[in-house]
Amino acid sequence: MAADLEAEVQAIDKSLLECSAEEIAVKWLQANDLQKEVYQHLAYYVPKIYCRGPNPAPQREDMLAQHVLLGPMEWYLCGEDPAFGFPKLEQANKPSHLCGRVFKVGEPTYSCRDCAVDPTCVLCMECFLGSIHREHRYRMTTSGGGGFCDCGDTEAWKEGPYCQKHELNTSETAEEEDPLVHLPEDMVARAYNIFAITFKYAVDILTWEKENELPGLDMIEKSDTYYCMLFNDEVHTYEQVIYTLQKAVNCTQKEAIGFATTVDRDGRRSVRYGDFQYCDQAKSVIVRNTSRQTKPLKVQVMHSSIVAHQSFGLKLLTWLGSVIGYSDGLRRILCQVGLQEGPDGENSSLVDKLMLYDSKLWKGARNVYHQLFMSSLLMDLKYKKLFAIRFARNYERLQSDFMKDDHDREFSIADLSIQIFTVPSLARMLITEENLMTTIIKTFMDHLRHRDIQGRFQFERYTALQAFKFRRVQSLILDLKYVLISKPTEWSDDLRHKFLEGFDAFLELLKCMQGMDPITRQVGQHIEMEPEWEAAFTLQMKLTLVISMMQDWCALDEKVLIEAYKKCLTVLMQCHSGFTDGEQPIVLSMCGHSVETIRYCVSQEKVSIHLPVSRLLAGLHVLLSKTEVAYKFPELLPLSELSPPMLIEHPLRCLVLCAQVHAGMWRRNGFSLVNQIYYYHNVKCRREMFDKDIVMLQTGVSMMDPNHFLMIMLSRFELYQIFSTPDYGKRFSTENTNKDVVQQNNTLIEEMLYLIIMIVGERFSPGIGQVNATDEIKREIIHQLSIRPMAHSELVKALPEDENRETGMESVIEEVACFKKPGLTGRGLYELKPDCARNFNLYFYHFSRAEQSKAEEAQRKLKRQNREDTALPPPALPPFCPLFASLVNILQSDVMLCIMGTILQWAVEHNGYAWSESMLQRVLHLLGMALQEEKQHLENLSEENVVTFTFTQKISRPGEAPNNSPSILAMLETLQNAPHLEVHKDMIRWILKTFNTIKKLRESSSTSPVAETEGNIMEESSRDKDKAERKRKAEIARLRREKIMAQMSEMQRHFINENKELFQQTLEELDTSTSGVHENSPVISDAKLTALGPEQTRVAEHRQVVMCILCQEEQEVKVDSRAMVLAAFIQRSTVLSKNRNKITPDPEKYDPLFMHPDLSCGTHTGSCGHIMHAHCWQRYFDAVQAKEQRRQQRLRVHTSYDVENGEFLCPLCECLSNTVIPLLPPPRVLFNRLFRPTKPYSVDQNNIPANKSAVFTSR
C-alpha cells in the first residue's frame, strides 16, 4: 500500500513538474473566457498539489503551487518572464511616502510623546532611528501584532512626519497623482482581469459553507477522502483538547500536543484523514467529550478538495499582497476590484463579503486577509476613505458578530477601527457623512439591554462569563475615544449638527447611568450578599476620558457649547423629575433666614454614587466661564431657568454619603460600598466624579443665597437641629447619650466643615479660578511632594492622565521640585523646593486621610527645623472667575458665622459639650481663609470699588440677645490661653496677627474704617500678654541654665578636692616625662638630623583628612576617631613561588601569614584605595547579603562575585573585594600620644565591627 502511494506521488510530481507557466499564460492570453480557463486550471491542479494525505507538506505544496498555479498568473500579469517583469515594475514605480510596515507580535514600536497626534501613532524601529523623534521624549512598547508604521502620514504627527528613508519620496510624488499612469495600458487590463478572478476565487472559497461541492469549480477527479477538521476556540484549555484528541483519534500525547498547538496558532488543524464514516466517528467522540460543561469544540468533516482549495485561497491572498508591493498602480487596481459592488447591490463587494463573514473564519484565514487589507486598502489614501465608509456602514453588524464570537479582538476585523477612526480627517468625515458617533453609542446601548423600572442600567452578578461579555462591549467605548481623540480646528455646520446629534445619544447613555446601583443604609442586620458594583464602576472608568473629551470638543465652538449646555440641562431636569421618592417639602429657619427645601435623609433613603449627567453639566458650566461664553451671550443661555437647589441636591447627597461612611454609619453595608467610595476618590475616577461634584456645589452656591445653601447642607448632613437649636449640643455630653452617636455627629461636623473648605478653596481649575492648566498641575505636585519626596514613577501614578496618557508633569516639575540623584542603593527622588511650601494647603481635596496626616506631620517637622512656629495657615488663593465670584460670601454669611461661633463656644466650655480638636482645627482654617480673602480684597482695591467682604467687622461683634454670646474674636482670645489647646496656639496667634494687619490696611485705605471695638482692644492686650509670656519663659530658661552650670562647677571642685593627692602625683609624672624627653633629645639645628628609635625626635603631626565614600562625611584619621577601612581583596598568590607544584596538606589549618622558605604559596592583598567608615561599610555589606537572600532562586542571574563567600563590589568603583583593611595613623603618632615607647599600643577594636570576611593587621 505504501509503495503504491509513493509511486503515485512520484507520478503526480512528474506530471506537475512538466507544466510550463509560459505556455499556460499564453493560452490564457488567447482565451475568450479567462475566468473559465483559470477556474478549470485550478479545479484540476489544486487537488493534485494540496491535501494529498493525513499530514500537510507545506514545502512541497508551496514549491508546486508556485510552479503550476502562481507562475502562470505572474507570466500573464507581466506579459513576460516575471523574473524580469517585476524588477521593471519596481523600477518604474513611484513608491508611496507611507511606510506601512505591518508589525509582528512582540516587535518594538515607538511613539513620540511630543509630536504624535495621539498615542496610537507609532513608528517601526528603522523609521524611528532615522527620524527627528529619537531626540524627543518617546514611549517604547511591543506590538501585539496587526498595526502598521505611521511614518509618512502627515495627519499622525505634529512635526517630523517623515524619516530619512521616506522623506526622499515626498518631493517626487504628488499625492493627487494617479499611480496607474506609471503602468502600461495592456498591463492595467491584464492586472484587472487576473486580480478580479483570483480575488473572487479566494473570497468565494473561504466563505463557502457547503461541504460536498465547490463554488464555480467542477470536481474533475472526485476522490472519496475527507478530513476531520478541529477549530480553535477561547473556551477550552490545552489540557482538555489534548485529552480529548488522545481518546478520539488514538494518538500519542506528543501528537495531541502538536495538534493542539497548531490549532491554537492557525485556528484549525485536521486530526484525521480517511473516508466520511471514519472521520465522522472522531467528530462524534470529540463533541461528546467536550460538551458536558461548556459548548463543545467546533469540529467539521470536510471534503479534501474543499480543504485543498481553501489552503490555496489563503496562499493566493498572500500572493496578492506581495505582488502589489511591486507597484502602487497594482495596489490601486486591487483596491478597485475589492470595493467594486457586485450584482447583488449593497454589501456585495468582495471586501464587504470578507468583513461580514469574519466571525465565521478561522484565525489563520483572518490574519491573512487582514494583512492584505492593511497592505492595500489602508495604504492607498483614496481607497482608505472609501473603505472607511464601508466599515462605518457595517459597524453595527461587525460589532454584533464580534460580541457573539469568542476570539480576541486582535483577531477580529473590528480591530481595524483603530486604523480608521484615529485619522482626524476620516473621523470627521465619518461623523458628518455616516453619523458615526450616534452609531457607536447606539450600538453600545443595544448590548446593555438590562434596565430597571426607571430605565437605568442594571447589571447582573459579575461572573466570569459576564465579565468576558462586558469586556467585549467595552471595546465600543474605545472606538468612541478614537473618534474623539483628535479635536477639530474648524467647524462646519454639518459637523456641528452631527456632533450635537451624537451628543444627544451620549446624554441618553449617561441618563441610563444617572442614579444606577442605588443603595440604602443597612440597619440592624449586616447585609447577607454583597451587591454587584464592579460593572458600573468599570463602565464609569472607561467613560471618564470620553466624558472629558466631549467637554473638550464643546469648548472649541461657542455655538456647540451653548446647545450642549441646554441639552444637558434638559436631560438633568428629566432625571430629577423621576427621583421624587420620599421627598416632602419643609421650611428651614436659622439666623433670621428661611429656605424651603425637601425632607431627605441620606441615612434612610436610596442614594446613588453615579451621577454622570450632573457632573457633565458641571463641566460645561465651568467651560461657559473659561471660554467667556457666559459673559458674551448671556441671553442665549438658560441661566434664569436654573434651579440651584436642584443642581446641588444629588451631588450633595453623594458627598454626605461619603461623610457618613467615614463616620461608620454604613458598616453593615459591607465592603462593596467601601470599594465604591475608594474609587470615587481614586485618581482614575475622581476627575469626572468627586471633582465634578465639588464643582456642581460651587456652581449652585454661586447662584443662591449662601445662608440658604448652608441650611440645606446642615439638613442633608442631619446636623440642622444641633446648630439651629440653642444649647442643643449639651445633650450629647450627658451620660445617657450613646457614645457612637456622639462620635458620628462629631465626624459629620468635621466632614461638613471640610466640604465648606473645599467649596471655597478649590479654585485651581481654569474657569473657576483665574488660573491656567499648569497652575493646576503644579498644585497637585506640590501637595504630593508635601507628603514626602517621591520618585518619578510614584509621582506619575498620583497624577491624572489625559487621553494621550500624559500628566503634564515634565513641563512644570523643575519649577516646584529639585531632583535628588539616587544613592548607591536608592532611587532618585523629587524634593519640594522650600519656597513652594507656602502653597501647602492642609485640607487639599485630593488628600486621603492617611496622606493628610503624613503631610501635616512632615510640614510641622519642617517648620520646627526652620525654627518657625508650627501653624499651617491657608495659602493665598487666586481670585475666582466672575461667574463664581460670589462664592466667597459663604465665609461671611450669618449661618457660617453661627456655625463657627457655636463650635468655638464648645471649645471654650469644653467640659459641657461633645466636640473634637479636628472640628476646631477646621474652623480655624476657615477663619484663616476668610481673613486671607479680605486681605487680598483690600490689597487689590481700586478707587471705584467698595469692599463688600467685611469679615473682620462681623467676627468682632458679640452675639445678639437673648444669647449675648461673646464675639468670635473674643473666644479666640480666650482659647489662646487654654491649656488643653496647646497645639493650636500658633494658628490662633497667626489669625490674630492677620486680623491686626487687615485692620491697619483698612485704616490706611480709609475706605471702610473700623471702629475701636471691644475686640480690637482685646486683640491689642492679647499681643502684649503674648510678648510678656514669651519674655517670662525665656527668663526662666536662662536662670535654669545658669543653675545647672553652677551645680556642675561645684561638683568638679568637690571631686578635685577629694582626690587632691592623686592629681598632684599625675601632674608631677607628666612634667618629669616631658622634661626627660626634651633633655635627652638632641637640639634640632639641622632639618636633616632626625633621631629614630625609642627616644626619637618629635616631629610635627600632619593632619590626614579623608572622606567616607558612602556617607560623604569628612573625618581626620586619629586613634580616637571612628574606625575607617579600605575595600580590599585577599587571595592566594604564586607570583614569587619557587615551588608551584607543592600541595598544601591541610588548607583549613594553613596559616596565610606564615611563609615557608620555598615560597610555594603566599598571600596577596590589593585595594582600590576607597575609604569608608567601618559602620557604613558594615551596613552596606549587610544590605548586599540581605538583597541576595531576598531574591528567589529562579530569578537569580549570574553575577561577577560570590556573596556567600563574603565577596562584594566596592561601592564606588565596583572593584571586586572580599575584606576591608583598617586605616591607621602612623606608629609615631601613637608613640607621641602615649609618651611610652615600651608600652604596646592597641587599636580600639570595639569601634570596628567584626565580620568573617574582614582581616585586620597592624603595621
Side-chain angles (χ1 to χ4, degrees):
M1 180 77 181
D4 294 341
L5 184 63
E6 186 176 351
E8 186 184 350
V9 169
Q10 288 176 350
I12 291 172
D13 285 348
K14 187 177 179 181
S15 66
L16 290 171
L17 291 172
E18 287 175 355
C19 286
S20 169
E22 185 179 2
E23 291 176 5
I24 296 169
V26 170
K27 182 182 175 184
W28 288 356
L29 285 167
Q30 297 170 353
N32 293 325
D33 190 347
L34 179 62
Q35 179 173 336
K36 183 179 179 182
E37 288 289 336
V38 173
Y39 270 39
Q40 283 179 354
H41 182 75
L42 297 179
Y44 180 79
Y45 282 108
V46 168
K48 291 181 179 294
I49 295 172
Y50 288 93
C51 304
R52 300 297 298 170
N55 295 313
Q59 291 181 338
R60 171 184 166 280
E61 290 170 355
D62 288 350
M63 184 269 291
L64 291 174
Q66 179 62 42
H67 180 70
V68 180
L69 303 174
L70 299 177
M73 295 178 187
E74 292 176 355
W75 271 88
Y76 177 86
L77 178 65
C78 296
E80 59 179 325
D81 188 345
F84 301 108
F86 284 144
K88 285 181 184 177
L89 279 175
E90 204 166 12
Q91 192 174 2
N93 185 42
K94 300 292 183 184
S96 168
H97 56 271
L98 296 173
C99 172
R101 175 188 173 89
V102 178
F103 295 120
K104 297 174 184 173
V105 177
E107 188 174 348
T109 63
Y110 300 83
S111 178
C112 181
R113 295 172 61 195
D114 296 324
C115 305
V117 170
D118 63 73
T120 64
C121 302
V122 292
L123 297 172
C124 63
M125 182 185 285
E126 185 182 357
C127 291
F128 174 73
L129 294 175
S131 70
I132 63 170
H133 307 296
R134 64 182 298 180
E135 306 297 332
H136 299 172
R137 298 180 308 138
Y138 63 88
R139 183 182 288 112
M140 179 182 174
T141 53
T142 55
S143 173
F148 61 82
C149 177
D150 291 305
C151 184
D153 185 352
T154 52
E155 289 195 83
W157 309 99
K158 297 171 187 172
E159 64 171 312
Y162 306 104
C163 68
Q164 293 170 355
K165 177 182 175 183
H166 297 104
E167 199 166 17
L168 301 172
N169 305 324
T170 56
S171 59
E172 301 169 8
T173 306
E175 286 195 18
E176 294 79 13
E177 186 180 20
D178 189 346
L180 296 179
V181 300
H182 302 293
L183 293 179
E185 288 185 14
D186 58 336
M187 178 174 275
V188 171
R190 290 197 304 272
Y192 195 90
N193 289 337
I194 198 68
F195 282 177
I197 293 168
T198 53
F199 201 178
K200 182 177 186 304
Y201 162 80
V203 172
D204 286 347
I205 198 67
L206 290 175
T207 59
W208 192 249
E209 295 184 350
K210 296 179 182 178
E211 297 181 357
N212 289 320
E213 57 182 282
L214 291 168
L217 297 165
D218 296 326
M219 294 188 188
I220 295 168
E221 293 181 8
K222 187 170 181 181
S223 61
D224 200 24
T225 53
Y226 291 83
Y227 284 101
C228 179
M229 194 69 72
L230 176 65
F231 290 83
N232 176 61
D233 67 18
E234 302 297 329
V235 178
H236 296 88
T237 63
Y238 256 91
E239 289 74 17
Q240 287 174 316
V241 175
I242 292 166
Y243 173 75
T244 303
L245 286 174
Q246 284 179 276
K247 291 186 69 176
V249 297
N250 297 322
C251 61
T252 64
Q253 186 180 23
K254 185 177 180 181
E255 288 173 330
I257 290 171
F259 288 149
T261 304
T262 307
V263 168
D264 183 62
R265 184 187 67 232
D266 298 337
R268 75 176 190 179
R269 172 70 160 87
S270 61
V271 294
R272 178 168 278 185
Y273 174 74
D275 59 29
F276 183 85
Q277 188 176 359
Y278 185 57
C279 293
D280 194 55
Q281 181 186 1
K283 174 185 175 181
S284 302
V285 175
I286 293 171
V287 170
R288 187 169 62 249
N289 278 279
T290 56
S291 59
R292 291 170 187 168
Q293 296 175 341
T294 56
K295 70 174 186 178
L297 278 166
K298 182 181 176 183
V299 195
Q300 280 184 351
V301 177
M302 302 177 69
H303 196 280
S304 57
S305 294
I306 294 178
V307 178
H309 280 285
Q310 287 186 343
S311 299
F312 179 65
L314 293 182
K315 179 70 178 176
L316 206 51
L317 291 180
T318 306
W319 175 78
L320 286 171
S322 63
V323 165
I324 62 176
Y326 291 112
S327 168
D328 279 9
L330 294 179
R331 177 184 289 117
R332 175 65 61 90
I333 293 170
L334 184 64
C335 291
Q336 289 175 357
V337 168
L339 288 173
Q340 187 175 13
E341 289 286 359
D344 299 332
E346 191 177 358
N347 290 338
S348 61
S349 71
L350 297 174
V351 167
D352 287 322
K353 282 184 179 179
L354 273 177
M355 283 198 298
L356 297 175
Y357 202 79
D358 181 80
S359 62
K360 297 178 183 177
L361 291 174
W362 63 100
K363 194 186 294 186
R366 295 186 193 190
N367 286 337
V368 169
Y369 95 82
H370 292 174
Q371 296 266 357
L372 180 62
F373 278 13
M374 282 191 280
S375 59
S376 57
L377 295 165
L378 298 182
M379 286 289 288
D380 190 300
L381 297 180
K382 176 182 177 182
Y383 282 90
K384 187 175 185 177
K385 178 179 178 181
L386 296 175
F387 175 64
I389 292 171
R390 297 289 176 87
F391 187 86
R393 287 176 182 171
N394 289 316
Y395 183 83
E396 192 172 349
R397 166 86 178 274
L398 295 177
Q399 294 298 335
S400 181
D401 289 346
F402 171 65
M403 298 304 158
K404 297 169 188 171
D405 188 20
D406 66 349
H407 281 62
D408 292 336
R409 186 174 169 86
E410 64 199 69
F411 302 113
S412 170
I413 189 68
D415 197 42
L416 285 186
S417 61
I418 190 174
Q419 308 296 343
I420 299 169
F421 297 164
T422 53
V423 180
S425 59
L426 290 182
R428 297 248 223 293
M429 180 266 294
L430 293 174
I431 290 173
T432 307
E433 296 180 13
E434 301 299 327
N435 207 1
L436 181 62
M437 275 180 63
T438 307
T439 302
I440 294 174
I441 295 166
K442 287 189 174 177
T443 305
F444 176 75
M445 292 181 68
D446 285 343
H447 290 286
L448 294 177
R449 294 194 181 93
H450 291 284
R451 314 279 169 88
D452 62 10
I453 300 170
Q454 282 85 15
R456 299 174 296 204
F457 289 138
Q458 196 169 29
F459 296 100
E460 299 173 9
R461 175 74 37 193
Y462 212 51
T463 60
L465 182 61
Q466 288 297 323
F468 176 77
K469 288 182 179 177
F470 195 51
R471 274 198 303 272
R472 298 179 92 75
V473 176
Q474 289 165 29
S475 63
L476 291 156
I477 300 175
L478 207 57
D479 284 347
L480 188 57
K481 178 186 163 188
Y482 292 148
V483 172
L484 296 171
I485 202 164
S486 179
K487 300 166 187 67
T489 51
E490 296 180 2
W491 288 78
S492 64
D493 289 339
D494 285 341
L495 182 59
R496 285 191 189 96
H497 175 69
K498 292 297 182 182
F499 173 77
L500 287 170
E501 201 173 313
F503 189 79
D504 278 333
F506 190 65
L507 284 173
E508 282 300 311
L509 168 62
L510 298 186
K511 185 179 177 183
C512 293
M513 294 171 63
Q514 181 88 354
M516 66 179 173
D517 283 359
I519 45 179
T520 309
R521 183 182 173 212
Q522 194 77 10
V523 182
Q525 188 177 355
H526 195 282
I527 196 167
E528 292 181 5
M529 182 178 286
E530 296 280 355
E532 168 53 43
W533 66 274
E534 291 178 55
F537 259 91
T538 304
L539 179 58
Q540 174 65 46
M541 275 191 234
K542 295 292 181 184
L543 281 174
T544 295
L545 285 175
V546 175
I547 295 170
S548 298
M549 287 190 282
M550 280 283 188
Q551 294 172 45
D552 293 342
W553 274 59
C554 292
L556 296 171
D557 187 77
E558 293 172 346
K559 293 179 183 176
V560 170
L561 179 58
I562 292 168
E563 286 303 314
Y565 187 83
K566 289 178 180 176
K567 290 174 183 290
C568 192
L569 181 60
T570 303
V571 171
L572 183 63
M573 292 170 75
Q574 290 171 5
C575 292
H576 273 270
S577 63
F579 299 162
T580 54
D581 300 338
E583 298 178 354
Q584 299 171 352
I586 56 168
V587 176
L588 305 175
S589 299
M590 193 171 167
C591 304
H593 300 272
S594 296
V595 62
E596 188 174 326
T597 181
I598 53 172
R599 186 189 303 281
Y600 187 91
C601 289
V602 175
S603 61
Q604 296 174 14
E605 308 288 345
K606 285 184 177 181
V607 61
S608 172
I609 211 164
H610 298 284
L611 305 166
V613 179
S614 300
R615 291 159 186 160
L616 178 58
L617 184 69
L620 294 175
H621 192 82
V622 172
L623 291 178
L624 292 178
S625 170
K626 182 181 176 182
T627 59
E628 299 185 354
V629 169
Y631 319 127
K632 294 178 186 174
F633 312 106
E635 69 283 355
L636 299 178
L637 292 167
L639 297 179
S640 59
E641 299 173 20
L642 290 175
S643 166
M646 180 200 77
L647 296 180
I648 66 169
E649 184 62 40
H650 289 284
L652 182 57
R653 291 179 190 178
C654 192
L655 290 160
V656 171
L657 170 68
C658 296
Q660 291 184 353
V661 169
H662 181 57
M665 294 170 63
W666 291 69
R667 285 198 189 100
R668 291 183 174 86
N669 285 70
F671 283 108
S672 63
L673 180 56
V674 175
N675 291 329
Q676 289 185 66
I677 300 297
Y678 168 78
Y679 279 108
Y680 174 74
H681 290 97
N682 185 267
V683 67
K684 290 181 180 178
C685 298
R686 71 184 181 212
R687 177 181 283 183
E688 294 302 330
M689 293 190 84
F690 171 64
D691 292 5
K692 287 295 190 293
D693 283 345
I694 298 296
V695 171
M696 185 52 98
L697 291 188
Q698 291 175 318
T699 301
V701 178
S702 65
M703 294 188 288
M704 64 191 294
D705 185 332
N707 293 294
H708 294 173
F709 167 75
L710 288 169
M711 283 190 282
I712 292 171
M713 185 165 69
L714 285 169
S715 174
R716 297 297 172 267
F717 272 91
E718 300 171 31
L719 299 170
Y720 175 71
Q721 290 293 330
I722 293 176
F723 288 98
S724 63
T725 309
D727 295 332
Y728 189 89
K730 282 189 177 179
R731 298 185 194 176
F732 296 104
S733 63
T734 61
E735 296 178 2
N736 298 329
T737 307
N738 189 334
K739 289 184 179 178
D740 286 344
V741 175
V742 174
Q743 182 60 47
Q744 283 173 9
N745 278 288
N746 284 350
T747 306
L748 289 175
I749 293 170
E750 291 167 13
E751 292 295 309
M752 183 190 70
L753 294 170
Y754 186 18
L755 180 55
I756 296 170
I757 292 171
M758 289 189 284
I759 290 170
V760 180
E762 296 308 324
R763 52 181 88 170
F764 278 82
S765 297
I768 297 175
Q770 295 177 26
V771 294
N772 53 40
T774 55
D775 295 327
E776 190 175 7
I777 299 165
K778 278 184 199 173
R779 185 165 182 256
E780 291 279 352
I781 295 173
I782 286 170
H783 285 86
Q784 288 299 327
L785 295 180
S786 298
I787 303 168
R788 65 178 189 282
M790 286 187 178
H792 183 276
S793 56
E794 282 184 288
L795 208 47
V796 168
K797 286 178 185 175
L799 299 173
E801 292 182 342
D802 63 10
E803 64 272 16
N804 292 324
R805 289 159 50 195
E806 295 289 344
T807 60
M809 186 187 84
E810 285 90 346
S811 60
V812 299
I813 187 68
E814 292 182 358
E815 296 178 42
V816 297
C818 304
F819 184 69
K820 187 178 180 182
K821 291 183 178 178
L824 291 162
T825 55
R827 298 178 298 170
L829 298 173
Y830 283 110
E831 288 185 346
L832 189 65
K833 288 184 177 178
D835 58 330
C836 292
R838 68 175 186 274
N839 296 316
F840 173 73
N841 179 9
L842 178 59
Y843 294 102
F844 177 60
Y845 72 147
H846 287 160
F847 276 157
S848 66
R849 281 163 185 83
E851 288 171 340
Q852 184 185 25
S853 177
K854 288 176 185 175
E856 180 179 7
E857 186 180 345
Q859 293 305 305
R860 290 193 192 280
K861 182 179 178 182
L862 192 66
K863 282 180 171 282
R864 283 193 291 269
Q865 287 174 353
N866 297 335
R867 296 184 179 178
E868 301 172 6
D869 62 49
T870 57
L872 294 173
L877 298 171
F880 277 113
C881 290
L883 200 61
F884 292 89
S886 60
L887 259 175
V888 295
N889 291 326
I890 196 172
L891 293 170
Q892 62 172 354
S893 64
D894 295 336
V895 176
M896 186 73 246
L897 293 168
C898 172
I899 292 170
M900 291 193 287
T902 303
I903 293 170
L904 289 173
Q905 185 71 35
W906 294 348
V908 170
E909 304 173 19
H910 62 279
N911 294 325
Y913 294 87
W915 64 286
S916 68
E917 286 195 24
S918 295
M919 204 185 292
L920 175 65
Q921 191 176 11
R922 285 161 168 75
V923 167
L924 295 177
H925 193 87
L926 281 164
L927 287 166
M929 289 175 73
L931 292 171
Q932 287 273 42
E933 199 69 42
E934 186 169 354
K935 184 181 174 186
Q936 285 180 316
H937 278 224
L938 289 167
E939 288 172 346
N940 301 326
L941 186 65
S942 59
E943 292 182 5
E944 310 87 52
N945 295 335
V946 177
V947 177
T948 56
F949 198 84
T950 55
F951 184 73
T952 49
Q953 292 181 3
K954 292 182 178 180
I955 63 171
S956 304
R957 297 192 200 116
E960 298 176 0
N963 298 334
N964 292 326
S965 58
S967 68
I968 289 176
L969 201 61
M971 285 189 280
L972 286 172
E973 165 63 27
T974 306
L975 291 173
Q976 186 185 7
N977 300 315
H980 62 285
L981 296 176
E982 189 70 34
V983 71
H984 300 296
K985 285 188 178 178
D986 285 340
M987 185 65 187
I988 296 171
R989 288 192 194 106
W990 180 87
I991 290 171
L992 294 173
K993 180 182 175 183
T994 308
F995 179 90
N996 194 49
T997 305
I998 292 169
K999 190 194 78 169
K1000 289 179 179 177
L1001 276 172
R1002 280 196 176 277
E1003 288 172 354
S1004 62
S1005 64
S1006 301
T1007 55
S1008 178
V1010 181
E1012 286 291 335
T1013 61
E1014 175 193 357
N1016 296 342
I1017 297 165
M1018 290 175 70
E1019 194 271 333
E1020 291 289 340
S1021 64
S1022 75
R1023 292 203 310 116
D1024 294 340
K1025 287 180 182 177
D1026 187 31
K1027 287 181 182 177
E1029 180 69 13
R1030 288 187 180 181
K1031 188 174 180 181
R1032 185 180 67 80
K1033 287 182 178 179
E1035 183 65 22
I1036 291 171
R1038 185 182 65 78
L1039 292 172
R1040 188 165 175 271
R1041 282 196 302 271
E1042 288 179 357
K1043 183 179 179 183
I1044 291 169
M1045 293 300 294
Q1047 287 176 344
M1048 288 176 65
S1049 299
E1050 181 62 30
M1051 289 168 70
Q1052 284 177 341
R1053 283 195 296 273
H1054 182 68
F1055 181 78
I1056 291 172
N1057 289 335
E1058 284 188 350
N1059 301 280
K1060 195 170 186 180
E1061 294 178 1
L1062 181 62
F1063 268 89
Q1064 187 64 36
Q1065 183 183 350
T1066 304
L1067 289 169
E1068 287 174 0
E1069 287 179 1
L1070 190 61
D1071 290 341
T1072 305
S1073 174
T1074 307
S1075 62
V1077 170
H1078 284 291
E1079 286 169 8
N1080 296 329
S1081 299
V1083 178
I1084 303 173
S1085 58
D1086 193 333
K1088 294 180 181 179
L1089 299 175
T1090 303
L1092 301 175
E1095 297 180 357
Q1096 61 184 248
T1097 305
R1098 294 191 67 186
V1099 180
E1101 297 180 9
H1102 294 285
R1103 290 178 71 243
Q1104 184 185 4
V1105 179
V1106 294
M1107 179 185 286
C1108 172
I1109 62 171
L1110 289 172
C1111 68
Q1112 305 295 307
E1113 182 182 328
E1114 290 188 342
Q1115 178 181 304
E1116 187 178 352
V1117 180
K1118 298 198 304 191
V1119 178
D1120 52 359
S1121 299
R1122 286 183 293 175
M1124 303 201 77
V1125 295
L1126 296 91
F1129 187 74
I1130 289 188
Q1131 59 186 328
R1132 193 164 161 262
S1133 174
T1134 58
V1135 174
L1136 303 175
S1137 177
K1138 295 179 180 179
N1139 184 7
R1140 286 192 172 86
N1141 296 326
K1142 183 178 179 180
I1143 299 173
T1144 305
D1146 191 356
E1148 293 294 328
K1149 295 182 180 178
Y1150 179 73
D1151 185 358
L1153 299 179
F1154 169 75
M1155 183 68 69
H1156 195 274
D1158 64 3
L1159 303 178
S1160 61
C1161 177
T1163 304
H1164 176 266
T1165 305
S1167 173
C1168 58
H1170 291 128
I1171 302 168
M1172 303 163 273
H1173 285 116
H1175 65 275
C1176 289
W1177 168 78
Q1178 186 68 59
R1179 275 207 306 270
Y1180 168 74
F1181 184 74
D1182 290 345
V1184 170
Q1185 286 192 314
K1187 182 179 178 182
E1188 182 67 18
Q1189 289 168 1
R1190 280 197 305 269
R1191 283 200 299 168
Q1192 297 178 18
Q1193 189 66 36
R1194 64 185 178 84
L1195 297 177
R1196 294 188 184 182
V1197 293
H1198 178 70
T1199 55
S1200 58
Y1201 59 97
D1202 187 355
V1203 177
E1204 293 180 358
N1205 284 338
E1207 292 181 354
F1208 62 95
L1209 299 181
C1210 168
L1212 186 60
C1213 67
E1214 297 192 346
C1215 182
L1216 184 63
S1217 311
N1218 61 3
T1219 186
V1220 289
I1221 301 173
L1223 182 67
L1224 302 176
R1228 67 171 179 273
V1229 175
L1230 301 174
F1231 169 78
N1232 292 339
R1233 182 179 178 83
L1234 300 170
F1235 295 110
R1236 293 197 178 184
T1238 57
K1239 181 178 178 180
Y1241 66 87
S1242 62
V1243 182
D1244 181 8
Q1245 295 290 348
N1246 293 327
N1247 223 0
I1248 303 177
N1251 187 281
K1252 68 175 182 178
S1253 65
V1255 176
F1256 299 108
T1257 59
S1258 58
R1259 295 181 180 178

